[in-house]
Amino acid sequence: MKHEFYLSLGSNMGERGAYISQALELLEMQKETLKLCKVSSFYETDPVGYLDQGAFLNIAVYGKTSLQPLELLAHTQSIENTLGRLRSVRWGPRVIDIDILLYNSIRMRTDDLVLPHPRMTERTFVLVPLVEIAPELRLPDDHYTIGERIQQVGKEGVRLWKTN
């Protein structure tokens, strides 16, 4: 497994922690093509964008895979579908959301996938869990580490929920 990736997982409906844990289990079921190497603590975060909804739980994950970026996207979307994700309101409530943040150090833009994930450096709910597992990580062509980015954005609206 030669490709590295980072994911952001979030949930704000029902048993939030259980949905994230189930998503992690489903990711790990693909042992021949995907391995999770680091998983952050769980963080409770205030909603962004659409504010009339409950708080989210968010985590970040680092892993390795033999899947190509669009194959990894298909796999994560399959997990979202399995767990009952419905796409009705942009940035709205969801049982599970799995975003690919980075895949190696590539930049790509398709109708379905943009890498690195746009807006990830603006979102504390992404940066706080990510800095826990990869503080020295740099985005492609970025002069700042994730640890330095969190200093620019701050940690407002993000609270440690439980360690993983």
Short mmCIF file of all heavy atoms in Angstrom, two decimals, residues 3 7 9 21 26 33-34 36-37 44 59 61 63 66 85 87 94 96 98 101 115 121 124 128 151 156 158 164:
data_model
loop_
_atom_site.label_atom_id
_atom_site.label_comp_id
_atom_site.label_asym_id
_atom_site.label_seq_id
_atom_site.Cartn_x
_atom_site.Cartn_y
_atom_site.Cartn_z
N HIS A 3 0.10 4.48 -1.18
CA HIS A 3 -0.50 5.81 -1.16
C HIS A 3 -0.93 6.19 0.26
O HIS A 3 -1.51 5.37 0.97
CB HIS A 3 -1.71 5.88 -2.10
CG HIS A 3 -1.40 5.46 -3.49
ND1 HIS A 3 -0.57 6.18 -4.33
CD2 HIS A 3 -1.79 4.37 -4.20
CE1 HIS A 3 -0.47 5.56 -5.49
NE2 HIS A 3 -1.21 4.46 -5.43
N LEU A 7 -8.35 11.53 6.12
CA LEU A 7 -9.80 11.67 6.05
C LEU A 7 -10.29 12.49 7.23
O LEU A 7 -9.67 12.50 8.29
CB LEU A 7 -10.50 10.30 6.13
CG LEU A 7 -10.14 9.23 5.11
CD1 LEU A 7 -10.89 7.94 5.44
CD2 LEU A 7 -10.45 9.69 3.71
N LEU A 9 -13.92 12.58 9.39
CA LEU A 9 -15.21 11.94 9.59
C LEU A 9 -16.01 12.76 10.57
O LEU A 9 -15.47 13.26 11.56
CB LEU A 9 -15.05 10.52 10.14
CG LEU A 9 -14.57 9.43 9.19
CD1 LEU A 9 -13.09 9.53 8.92
CD2 LEU A 9 -14.89 8.06 9.75
N SER A 21 -17.64 5.25 14.74
CA SER A 21 -16.98 3.97 15.02
C SER A 21 -17.34 2.92 13.97
O SER A 21 -16.48 2.15 13.52
CB SER A 21 -17.35 3.47 16.42
OG SER A 21 -16.85 4.35 17.40
N LEU A 26 -15.91 -0.22 9.04
CA LEU A 26 -16.13 -0.51 7.61
C LEU A 26 -14.90 -0.15 6.78
O LEU A 26 -14.57 -0.86 5.82
CB LEU A 26 -17.38 0.20 7.10
CG LEU A 26 -18.69 -0.33 7.67
CD1 LEU A 26 -19.85 0.61 7.33
CD2 LEU A 26 -18.98 -1.74 7.14
N THR A 33 -6.66 -3.56 0.81
CA THR A 33 -6.47 -2.34 0.02
C THR A 33 -6.35 -1.08 0.86
O THR A 33 -6.02 -0.02 0.32
CB THR A 33 -7.64 -2.13 -0.97
OG1 THR A 33 -8.86 -2.04 -0.24
CG2 THR A 33 -7.71 -3.25 -1.99
N LEU A 34 -6.59 -1.17 2.16
CA LEU A 34 -6.63 0.05 2.98
C LEU A 34 -6.25 -0.28 4.42
O LEU A 34 -6.75 -1.26 4.98
CB LEU A 34 -8.05 0.63 2.93
CG LEU A 34 -8.25 2.00 3.52
CD1 LEU A 34 -9.30 2.75 2.72
CD2 LEU A 34 -8.69 1.90 4.96
N LEU A 36 -5.73 1.72 8.25
CA LEU A 36 -5.76 2.92 9.08
C LEU A 36 -4.55 2.89 10.01
O LEU A 36 -4.32 1.92 10.72
CB LEU A 36 -7.05 2.98 9.89
CG LEU A 36 -8.36 2.98 9.10
CD1 LEU A 36 -9.55 3.11 10.03
CD2 LEU A 36 -8.36 4.07 8.04
N CYS A 37 -3.77 3.98 10.00
CA CYS A 37 -2.54 4.03 10.78
C CYS A 37 -2.67 4.89 12.04
O CYS A 37 -2.07 4.58 13.07
CB CYS A 37 -1.40 4.56 9.92
SG CYS A 37 -1.10 3.57 8.43
N GLU A 44 -16.12 17.33 19.80
CA GLU A 44 -17.45 17.87 19.57
C GLU A 44 -17.28 19.28 19.00
O GLU A 44 -16.50 20.07 19.54
CB GLU A 44 -18.27 17.91 20.86
CG GLU A 44 -19.71 18.28 20.59
CD GLU A 44 -20.59 18.11 21.80
OE1 GLU A 44 -20.31 18.77 22.82
OE2 GLU A 44 -21.54 17.30 21.73
N ILE A 59 -13.54 13.49 13.75
CA ILE A 59 -12.22 12.90 13.94
C ILE A 59 -11.43 13.05 12.64
O ILE A 59 -12.01 13.35 11.59
CB ILE A 59 -12.27 11.40 14.33
CG1 ILE A 59 -12.85 10.55 13.19
CG2 ILE A 59 -13.02 11.19 15.63
CD1 ILE A 59 -12.66 9.05 13.38
N VAL A 61 -8.30 10.91 10.34
CA VAL A 61 -7.69 9.60 10.17
C VAL A 61 -6.56 9.70 9.16
O VAL A 61 -6.69 10.38 8.14
CB VAL A 61 -8.74 8.58 9.65
CG1 VAL A 61 -8.09 7.24 9.32
CG2 VAL A 61 -9.86 8.40 10.65
N GLY A 63 -4.10 7.12 6.86
CA GLY A 63 -3.99 5.73 6.44
C GLY A 63 -3.19 5.57 5.18
O GLY A 63 -2.70 6.54 4.58
N SER A 66 -3.91 1.07 -1.45
CA SER A 66 -3.53 0.78 -2.83
C SER A 66 -4.59 1.33 -3.80
O SER A 66 -4.41 1.26 -5.01
CB SER A 66 -3.34 -0.72 -3.04
OG SER A 66 -4.54 -1.41 -2.72
N ARG A 85 -26.59 7.71 5.07
CA ARG A 85 -26.44 9.14 4.79
C ARG A 85 -27.40 9.56 3.68
O ARG A 85 -27.50 8.92 2.65
CB ARG A 85 -25.01 9.45 4.35
CG ARG A 85 -24.91 10.83 3.71
CD ARG A 85 -23.84 11.66 4.23
NE ARG A 85 -23.95 13.01 3.70
CZ ARG A 85 -22.91 13.72 3.35
NH1 ARG A 85 -21.70 13.23 3.45
NH2 ARG A 85 -23.07 14.94 2.91
N ARG A 87 -28.31 13.01 1.36
CA ARG A 87 -27.79 14.33 0.98
C ARG A 87 -28.96 15.23 0.62
O ARG A 87 -29.39 15.27 -0.52
CB ARG A 87 -26.84 14.18 -0.21
CG ARG A 87 -25.52 13.54 0.17
CD ARG A 87 -24.70 13.19 -1.07
NE ARG A 87 -23.33 12.90 -0.76
CZ ARG A 87 -22.89 11.80 -0.18
NH1 ARG A 87 -23.76 10.88 0.17
NH2 ARG A 87 -21.61 11.61 0.05
N ARG A 94 -26.29 15.09 9.31
CA ARG A 94 -25.94 13.84 8.64
C ARG A 94 -25.53 12.79 9.66
O ARG A 94 -24.94 13.13 10.69
CB ARG A 94 -24.83 14.05 7.62
CG ARG A 94 -23.58 14.58 8.26
CD ARG A 94 -22.68 15.29 7.33
NE ARG A 94 -23.33 16.47 6.82
CZ ARG A 94 -22.76 17.32 6.00
NH1 ARG A 94 -21.54 17.13 5.61
NH2 ARG A 94 -23.40 18.38 5.57
N ILE A 96 -23.40 10.43 8.90
CA ILE A 96 -21.96 10.28 8.71
C ILE A 96 -21.53 11.09 7.49
O ILE A 96 -22.27 11.19 6.52
CB ILE A 96 -21.55 8.78 8.54
CG1 ILE A 96 -20.03 8.61 8.62
CG2 ILE A 96 -22.11 8.20 7.26
CD1 ILE A 96 -19.42 8.83 9.98
N ILE A 98 -17.81 11.52 5.36
CA ILE A 98 -16.41 11.14 5.23
C ILE A 98 -15.82 11.94 4.08
O ILE A 98 -16.23 11.77 2.93
CB ILE A 98 -16.24 9.63 4.96
CG1 ILE A 98 -16.97 8.80 6.01
CG2 ILE A 98 -14.74 9.27 4.92
CD1 ILE A 98 -17.01 7.30 5.71
N LEU A 101 -9.34 14.43 2.71
CA LEU A 101 -8.65 15.70 2.85
C LEU A 101 -7.43 15.78 1.94
O LEU A 101 -7.22 16.77 1.24
CB LEU A 101 -8.21 15.91 4.30
CG LEU A 101 -9.32 15.88 5.35
CD1 LEU A 101 -8.72 15.96 6.76
CD2 LEU A 101 -10.32 17.00 5.11
N LEU A 115 -8.79 17.72 -4.53
CA LEU A 115 -7.71 17.46 -3.58
C LEU A 115 -6.64 18.52 -3.72
O LEU A 115 -6.29 18.87 -4.85
CB LEU A 115 -7.10 16.08 -3.81
CG LEU A 115 -7.99 14.90 -3.52
CD1 LEU A 115 -7.34 13.61 -4.00
CD2 LEU A 115 -8.31 14.82 -2.04
N THR A 121 -8.36 24.17 5.38
CA THR A 121 -7.50 25.00 6.23
C THR A 121 -8.28 26.13 6.91
O THR A 121 -7.73 26.85 7.73
CB THR A 121 -6.33 25.60 5.43
OG1 THR A 121 -6.85 26.39 4.35
CG2 THR A 121 -5.42 24.51 4.90
N THR A 124 -12.02 24.68 11.66
CA THR A 124 -11.43 24.17 12.90
C THR A 124 -11.83 22.72 13.16
O THR A 124 -11.06 21.97 13.73
CB THR A 124 -11.84 25.04 14.10
OG1 THR A 124 -13.26 25.12 14.16
CG2 THR A 124 -11.26 26.43 14.00
N VAL A 128 -8.37 20.81 14.03
CA VAL A 128 -8.06 20.38 15.41
C VAL A 128 -7.79 18.87 15.48
O VAL A 128 -6.75 18.46 16.01
CB VAL A 128 -9.14 20.85 16.41
CG1 VAL A 128 -8.91 20.22 17.78
CG2 VAL A 128 -9.14 22.37 16.52
N GLN A 151 -2.99 27.75 14.37
CA GLN A 151 -2.71 29.00 15.09
C GLN A 151 -3.36 30.19 14.40
O GLN A 151 -3.78 31.14 15.04
CB GLN A 151 -1.20 29.20 15.23
CG GLN A 151 -0.56 28.20 16.16
CD GLN A 151 0.95 28.32 16.20
OE1 GLN A 151 1.56 29.06 15.44
NE2 GLN A 151 1.56 27.57 17.11
N GLU A 156 -11.74 27.80 18.33
CA GLU A 156 -13.07 28.14 18.83
C GLU A 156 -14.13 27.18 18.25
O GLU A 156 -14.10 26.86 17.08
CB GLU A 156 -13.44 29.57 18.46
CG GLU A 156 -14.72 30.03 19.08
CD GLU A 156 -15.00 31.50 18.80
OE1 GLU A 156 -14.04 32.26 18.60
OE2 GLU A 156 -16.18 31.87 18.79
N VAL A 158 -14.57 24.04 19.12
CA VAL A 158 -14.13 22.65 19.09
C VAL A 158 -13.72 22.23 20.51
O VAL A 158 -12.91 22.89 21.13
CB VAL A 158 -12.95 22.45 18.13
CG1 VAL A 158 -12.47 21.00 18.13
CG2 VAL A 158 -13.32 22.88 16.71
N ASN A 164 -9.60 8.45 21.62
CA ASN A 164 -9.89 7.23 20.87
C ASN A 164 -8.98 6.11 21.32
O ASN A 164 -7.89 6.28 21.70
CB ASN A 164 -9.72 7.50 19.39
CG ASN A 164 -10.31 6.40 18.55
OD1 ASN A 164 -11.13 5.64 19.02
ND2 ASN A 164 -9.90 6.33 17.33
#
